[in-house]
Amino acid sequence: MGKIWLEGLALLTVVFSYNQTAAAAVTDGTSKLPWQIDGTPGVCLLTRTIPGTSPALFAIRTVPGSDRYRFIFAGEQILKTSLASNKRAEIVFDDGKPSIDAWSSGIRLSPYPYAVQAEFEDGTVIRRLGQAASVGVKIEKNNVGLAVLEGAGKAAEALNSCITEQLVQWGADPAQFAPNGMPPAPLRRRDDWLSAEQLAKMEIKHDRSAMHAEYYLSISVDGKVDGCTRINPDSGKDDADRWICPALVSQHLFEPAHDSAGKAVRGVVSFMFDIVTAAR
């Protein structure tokens, strides 16, 4: 029997990779900073690598429009005890503000001996990234990874630009990204965008033990979903689009985006949907 999990309630052990050749260096105008930004369709990825005899990596991955982030810490300093799946974690910046609740899991990431990812949803993380000097992850109160955020101000700007550019490509009005503008604000949690009744009627067929579907939703000036497009159409064979998009389109789920003068404009958000087939 299949079990449906929405918007990050399931955190699977996966192989994390990124295209080193496609990533662009982040600079401060005079010198190359220890960060790279990689924007591919549906993904923005920011990485900081530390070469040497004990190489280490810190990376941030997000789907534009989701406010959902995955922090990756890799290197010899990662505690082996942190590599189990689905552990409660905390993202801790050195800015004196509260930590961010997350779910963590060990991942395979060559050439690093150990790597852990922590996944969470938080709309303030890019701003905090740009202002802090370091960020770490705690799993069951143990410090298991720490990254020094040298040059993170420019890195945060690059990540934010990557997100904005993709949302505009998908149809968001650029005016909402100007000072005092605002993207669409959800009226309820993403996990509640589809009701239990809607989910019970879905008979999604798929060819994998775990199906992951990503969509971007077009949001009208009155806050209704008026478009639904699959971001990752080549992720496998399934008929999720037949069920997911009709269930979301026409729903009033948002306060609409607005420009700096308060005028409502078109917006875009993203939505993830997971199905995990339980063992028999």
Side-chain angles (χ1 to χ4, degrees):
M1 183 176 184
K3 182 176 181 181
I4 296 175
W5 278 336
L6 291 179
E7 196 61 28
L9 294 183
L11 184 59
L12 307 177
T13 302
V14 297
V15 177
F16 168 81
S17 64
Y18 72 100
N19 187 344
Q20 182 81 40
T21 59
V26 177
T27 72
D28 60 4
T30 58
S31 62
K32 179 179 175 180
L33 299 173
W35 298 89
Q36 290 185 313
I37 186 75
D38 183 10
T40 56
V43 174
C44 288
L45 177 68
L46 182 69
T47 59
R48 184 181 194 272
T49 55
I50 304 171
T53 55
S54 299
L57 175 139
F58 170 63
I60 305 169
R61 184 187 188 277
T62 187
V63 176
S66 68
D67 282 342
R68 179 178 174 181
Y69 296 87
R70 183 178 300 166
F71 277 18
I72 298 98
F73 298 82
E76 289 186 352
Q77 78 279 13
I78 303 298
L79 294 177
K80 292 182 182 180
T81 55
S82 68
L83 302 181
S85 296
N86 294 326
K87 284 193 172 185
R88 290 188 178 275
E90 298 173 74
I91 301 297
V92 183
F93 289 93
D94 68 342
D95 56 7
K97 297 178 182 178
S99 60
I100 300 170
D101 292 335
W103 287 96
S104 69
S105 181
I107 58 174
R108 300 185 301 276
L109 180 56
S110 178
Y112 306 98
Y114 309 112
V116 66
Q117 66 181 8
E119 192 163 358
F120 59 92
E121 189 171 330
D122 186 278
T124 68
V125 69
I126 296 180
R127 182 170 64 253
R128 293 182 67 177
L129 175 73
Q131 296 173 347
S134 66
V135 62
V137 59
K138 286 184 176 181
I139 299 176
E140 296 181 341
K141 305 301 181 181
N142 294 313
N143 293 308
V144 299
L146 179 70
V148 176
L149 301 179
E150 175 189 356
K154 289 295 182 182
E157 290 178 12
L159 180 58
N160 198 53
S161 293
C162 177
I163 293 169
T164 299
E165 288 169 7
Q166 290 210 32
L167 292 175
V168 170
Q169 288 176 4
W170 290 341
D173 191 318
Q176 67 198 272
F177 304 112
N180 298 318
M182 185 69 65
L187 297 175
R188 57 181 186 264
R189 296 170 60 249
R190 280 175 166 83
D191 291 345
D192 299 326
W193 289 359
L194 296 175
S195 67
E197 182 180 0
Q198 288 175 309
L199 293 171
K201 293 179 180 178
M202 294 183 182
E203 298 179 359
I204 298 174
K205 298 177 182 178
H206 57 98
D207 63 348
R208 290 141 290 160
S209 60
M211 188 211 77
H212 177 75
E214 298 176 353
Y215 300 87
Y216 69 81
L217 309 180
S218 301
I219 311 302
S220 69
V221 295
D222 59 3
K224 292 183 179 180
V225 179
D226 64 2
C228 175
T229 303
R230 184 77 169 257
I231 298 173
N232 60 338
D234 298 325
S235 58
K237 295 180 180 179
D238 62 68
D239 63 350
D241 302 359
R242 173 180 167 226
W243 300 93
I244 303 300
C245 287
L248 290 169
V249 170
S250 298
Q251 284 206 61
H252 184 203
L253 297 175
F254 298 88
E255 289 290 342
H258 62 77
D259 63 15
S260 56
K263 177 184 175 183
V265 296
R266 292 191 62 81
V268 172
V269 302
S270 58
F271 178 74
M272 295 108 185
F273 186 91
D274 296 289
I275 294 180
V276 176
T277 302
R280 295 181 182 274

